[in-house]
């Protein structure tokens, strides 16, 4: 085998693991772009040191060891990404102020196809989706880095305690102790998790709910939207730390500070194991629509319990492979004539 052929073969073997490594690094770091950087660093380190890989473990295990070390190095600063409701109290609409915080503050959204590898087992696929949802991701961020790694490897990826101990160069007893502490921390947060009960694929009632949501949002029909929202529904808008709770404040915001969203169009996306939409608002200068937010929706008991608007469109829309402009539809053009 020539050097060029060997290099190509190694590249192919490494790339087979990219999506699952992306999911692992994303759960560890809570950041889409830091996860991309971590996986790329992992691949480069693996490629450069492959001649020292002795094959005592599988290539997959070796890559996870490298990725874990990369993530732990990145987490030494102690940064914990969060959602707005993890940092502040809910603000009444009358006191609403849009105060941004730095990008590194926030838990970031991620397209499903970048972090969820294709698997044949429906139960395995369901666990993968549940463990990238925003509430679970926010809970992970509360764990010390090594506990986070242990929990993900044991509970999400179903590694044996002995395998995790070998990866982390520690004892099985230490792994079991870390897992017990991590579980306790997550259990304390369960009541505040408000995780979404979403079928995979969406069942008929959930799909109808989303269809009604699109119709209500695009029509900016606040009465119809109110009927879809749980009375304790939450709305967040990173990078702003403001978050609202209850349909009255949410719809009140949308008709006041958020009134520029009237006339928006929604394009479906799959994000964090949940249904979502790319929101385009009207472009008053060029016509058509321009990016405004990636929306992530949480559903429970037939109502929307949370919708989260990620507003940094110059980062999110390219990540999701979305266009940065939508042309006006025929009926819009006719109305403008």
């Amino acid at each position: 085998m020539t050097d060029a052929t060997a290099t190509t073969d190694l590249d192919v073997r490494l790339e087979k693991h990219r999506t699952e490594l992306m999911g692992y690094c994303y759960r560890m770091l809570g950041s889409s772009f830091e996860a991309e950087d971590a996986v790329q660093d992992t691949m480069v380190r693996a490629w450069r040191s492959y001649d020292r890989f002795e094959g005592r473990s599988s290539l997959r295990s070796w890559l996870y060891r490298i990725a874990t070390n990369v993530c732990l190095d990145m987490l030494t600063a102690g940064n914990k990404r969060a959602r707005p409701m993890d940092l502040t109290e809910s603000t009444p609409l009358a006191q609403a102020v849009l105060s941004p915080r730095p990008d590194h503050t926030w838990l970031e959204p991620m397209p499903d196809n970048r972090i969820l590898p294709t698997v044949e087992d429906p139960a395995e696929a369901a666990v993968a989706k549940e463990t990238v949802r925003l509430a679970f991701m926010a809970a992970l961020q509360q764990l010390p880095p090594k506990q986070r790694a242990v929990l993900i490897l044991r509970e999400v990826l179903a590694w044996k305690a002995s395998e995790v101990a070998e990866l982390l160069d520690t004892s099985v007893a230490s792994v079991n102790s870390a897992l017990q502490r991590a579980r306790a921390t997550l259990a304390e947060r369960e009541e505040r998790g408000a995780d979404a009960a979403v079928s995979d694929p969406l069942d008929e009632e959930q799909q109808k709910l989303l269809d009604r949501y699109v119709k209500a949002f695009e029509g900016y029909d606040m009465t119809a939207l109110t009927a879809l929202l749980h009375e304790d529904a939450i709305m967040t808008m990173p990078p702003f730390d403001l978050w609202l709770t209850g349909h009255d404040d949410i719809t009140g915001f949308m008709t006041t500070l958020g009134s520029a969203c009237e006339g928006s169009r929604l394009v479906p996306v799959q994000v964090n194991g949940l249904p979502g939409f790319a929101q385009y608002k009207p472009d008053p200068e060029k016509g058509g629509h321009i990016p405004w937010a990636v929306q992530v929706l949480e559903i429970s008991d037939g109502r929307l319990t949370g919708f989260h608007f990620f507003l940094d469109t110059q980062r999110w829309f390219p990540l999701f492979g979305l266009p940065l402009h939508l042309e006006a539809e025929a009926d819009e053009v006719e109305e403008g004539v």
Side-chain angles (χ1 to χ4, degrees):
M1 184 182 294
T2 67
D3 289 344
T5 302
T7 298
T8 300
D9 178 61
L10 177 58
D11 287 342
V12 170
R13 292 174 66 199
L14 293 177
E15 283 299 317
K16 287 180 180 179
H17 299 282
R18 181 176 289 273
T19 302
E20 65 171 308
L21 287 172
M22 191 73 74
Y24 176 61
C25 293
Y26 176 62
R27 292 181 181 95
M28 284 290 292
L29 301 170
S31 164
S32 317
F33 296 101
E34 286 184 2
E36 296 262 12
D37 291 344
V39 171
Q40 193 57 36
D41 192 2
T42 297
M43 294 299 188
V44 170
R45 291 190 191 189
W47 196 89
R48 287 176 175 170
S49 60
Y50 186 70
D51 59 341
R52 299 193 298 275
F53 173 52
E54 299 175 354
R56 288 179 296 185
S57 62
S58 68
L59 177 64
R60 179 174 182 258
S61 298
W62 184 59
L63 287 171
Y64 269 95
R65 175 189 286 269
I66 298 172
T68 299
N69 288 332
V70 169
C71 289
L72 291 177
D73 287 345
M74 293 174 73
L75 289 167
T76 52
N79 54 312
K80 295 180 180 179
R81 290 179 176 265
R83 304 167 299 172
M85 55 274 209
D86 300 320
L87 302 179
T88 65
E89 296 296 324
S90 176
T91 304
L93 177 60
Q95 301 171 21
V97 177
L98 296 177
S99 302
R101 295 201 188 190
D103 290 339
H104 63 74
T105 306
W106 304 116
L107 189 62
E108 297 179 345
M110 186 66 129
D112 284 0
N113 61 8
R114 287 180 177 257
I115 52 174
L116 298 177
T118 302
V119 294
E120 295 181 2
D121 184 352
E124 186 178 342
V127 168
K129 281 197 168 187
E130 288 168 4
T131 56
V132 293
R133 290 178 181 167
L134 295 176
F136 185 82
M137 289 287 297
L140 282 178
Q141 293 292 302
Q142 301 304 308
L143 300 175
K146 284 195 176 180
Q147 282 187 31
R148 200 180 307 176
V150 168
L151 184 98
I152 296 167
L153 291 166
R154 291 282 285 119
E155 302 278 83
V156 178
L157 301 177
W159 284 39
K160 297 177 181 176
S162 57
E163 294 172 326
V164 178
E166 182 178 355
L167 182 145
L168 295 175
D169 289 324
T170 188
S171 66
V172 170
S174 178
V175 167
N176 288 336
S177 176
L179 179 60
Q180 187 176 12
R181 294 195 303 275
R183 284 173 173 168
T185 300
L186 263 60
E188 290 174 0
R189 292 179 55 87
E190 273 187 0
E191 292 182 3
R192 294 177 286 161
D195 213 344
V198 180
S199 302
D200 182 26
L202 296 177
D203 63 34
E204 184 178 356
E205 290 303 312
Q206 290 169 343
Q207 188 57 60
K208 286 181 178 178
L209 176 65
L210 290 183
D211 293 342
R212 292 168 61 199
Y213 172 74
V214 171
K215 184 177 180 180
F217 195 96
E218 291 189 339
Y220 233 58
D221 183 340
M222 295 300 118
T223 301
L225 187 60
T226 296
L228 305 179
L229 297 177
H230 191 277
E231 62 180 9
D232 295 325
I234 287 172
M235 182 171 121
T236 70
M237 294 162 285
F240 301 116
D241 57 14
L242 170 74
W243 62 282
L244 302 167
T245 182
H247 45 64
D248 289 342
D249 276 4
I250 290 172
T251 56
F253 179 90
M254 292 175 67
T255 54
T256 53
L257 294 176
S259 61
C261 290
E262 185 170 359
S264 289
R265 287 173 57 188
L266 300 181
V267 176
V269 295
Q270 295 297 315
V271 51
N272 285 85
L274 293 164
F277 296 94
Q279 179 191 342
Y280 291 82
K281 72 174 184 176
D283 184 348
E285 297 180 2
K286 299 180 181 178
H289 292 75
I290 54 176
W292 180 245
V294 169
Q295 301 182 7
V296 184
L297 305 186
E298 294 173 324
I299 300 171
S300 184
D301 297 327
R303 296 285 183 93
L304 294 172
T305 56
F307 53 141
H308 309 283
F309 295 71
F310 291 90
L311 302 181
D312 192 349
T313 55
Q314 294 302 312
R315 302 173 77 214
W316 306 134
F317 277 56
L319 181 70
F320 282 78
L322 294 162
L324 294 178
H325 189 269
L326 292 184
E327 297 299 329
E329 295 182 341
D331 55 348
E332 294 174 313
V333 173
E334 290 175 4
E335 290 175 5
V337 174

